[in-house]
Amino acid sequence: ASEAASRGARWAAAGGVTDADKDWQLSMLSELDQAMADGSLWVAYQPKLDLASGRITGAEALVRWRHPTRGFVPPDNFIPQIEARGQILELTLHVLRRALDDAAGLAAAGTPINVAVNLSATLLGRAGLTDTILQALADARVAPDRLTLEVTESAAVELKGDIIDALEQLRDAGIRISVDDYGTGQSTMSYLKRFPAQELKIDKSFVQAMLASSSDQILVRSTIDMAHELGLKVVAEGVEDAATLAALSACGCDSIQGYHIGRPMPFDDLAALLRTEDTA
Ligand code: C2E
Ligand code: CA
Ligand code: CA
Ligand code: CA
């Protein structure tokens, strides 16, 4: 019993991470380059539905990793580690370039949409990031207004002058800026006022609670009203059924994303979906 207890204590002290987990977290990072090169790290797209027009006007790029021996590794299990080791730039640029090439392909096929890429706020302080993003747009021949950057607000990143400057440069270049996971962090109205964004994404935890809880419904409704007052469009994520869609629509939400519309899917499936929508 004491052995088990000490093992339990070690596990707890390590933050619930076993030695095997730690080994994997180390090797994982060295495997990343290979995964980007051989295609086991790929990009899925989840459609965003515009409620006013009833059309898919955008899609979010979400990274996927099919590990040769571990199978599907969810991004929440490797993005934080990559971020902690300062390697998130490489992954972000990989996803960005892929998404921009795919956006160019959709435009050429006559079904242009806006693609959204997740950008960790920690990257915004890096010198040269804005230029790198603008260069990637130019290389792919994609207009800046076809790109949205979804920035997660994080307690670790203060909205210091250089971060605001970087966001303003990106926005002034015509790129859409979206505040991701709104409501989960320290986001306040004063934070939003300083954040040069055009879009706010309500986190799925609120969206999924809104039918069962009137306080969550009030929260969602007042967030939408406030965002509109500030001139932002609102996207709700995690919409899994028609009832939630209807409730969001009644609250004046602009766009929705979630399993009810479509799961994250390979690019070819997205392209096919947009083609059928185009002829509908
Ligand atoms: P996120 O940006 O908040 O993305 C939304 C997450 O909700 C995605 O999880 C998506 O698959 C999931 N989702 C979408 N619709 C539904 C729904 O109807 N129900 C439920 N239960 N879930 C839904 P995913 O793909 O596992 O990604 C998790 C997080 O990993 C993302 O959260 C994002 O923060 C991060 N991430 C993913 N790809 C990238 C990337 O390329 N770069 C960076 N920096 N972060 C990424
Ligand atoms: Ca996102
Ligand atoms: Ca979220
Ligand atoms: Ca997130």
Side-chain angles (χ1 to χ4, degrees), residues 120-170:
S120 155
T122 55
L123 285 181
L124 284 167
R126 298 247 193 137
L129 179 80
T130 310
D131 290 341
T132 306
I133 293 174
L134 294 177
Q135 187 62 51
L137 279 161
D139 290 346
R141 296 173 207 275
V142 171
D145 64 0
R146 292 259 173 244
L147 174 65
T148 297
L149 294 172
E150 296 190 1
V151 181
T152 304
E153 48 115 8
S154 117
V157 178
E158 271 180 80
L159 273 190
K160 287 202 290 273
D162 54 342
I163 290 187
I164 302 274
D165 287 350
L167 285 169
E168 282 175 353
Q169 273 177 35
L170 293 164

Side-chain angles (χ1 to χ4, degrees), residues 86-119:
Q87 295 183 349
I88 190 74
L89 180 62
E90 221 186 334
L91 176 90
T92 301
L93 294 179
H94 180 79
V95 173
L96 176 70
R97 293 192 174 111
R98 178 78 263 152
L100 291 177
D101 282 347
D102 288 341
L106 291 173
T111 52
I113 58 162
N114 179 286
V115 289
V117 171
N118 288 286
L119 182 70

Side-chain angles (χ1 to χ4, degrees), residues 60 150 152 180-182 184 201-205 237-238:
E60 178 177 5
E150 296 190 1
T152 304
D180 207 351
D181 288 350
Y182 185 78
T184 57
K201 283 188 96 168
I202 304 179
D203 191 69
K204 59 177 174 287
S205 55
E237 66 172 26

Side-chain angles (χ1 to χ4, degrees), residues 11 14 26 54 59 74 123 133 141 145 164 166 186 200 208 240 272 279:
W11 190 78
L26 288 174
L123 285 181
I133 293 174
R141 296 173 207 275
D145 64 0
I164 302 274
Q186 36 142 36
L200 178 151
Q208 295 184 340
E240 295 185 356
T279 54

Side-chain angles (χ1 to χ4, degrees), residues 67-87:
H67 191 274
T69 55
R70 292 175 180 271
F72 175 69
V73 186
D76 283 333
N77 289 10
F78 64 92
I79 300 267
Q81 283 81 347
I82 293 174
E83 218 174 323
R85 282 172 193 274
Q87 295 183 349

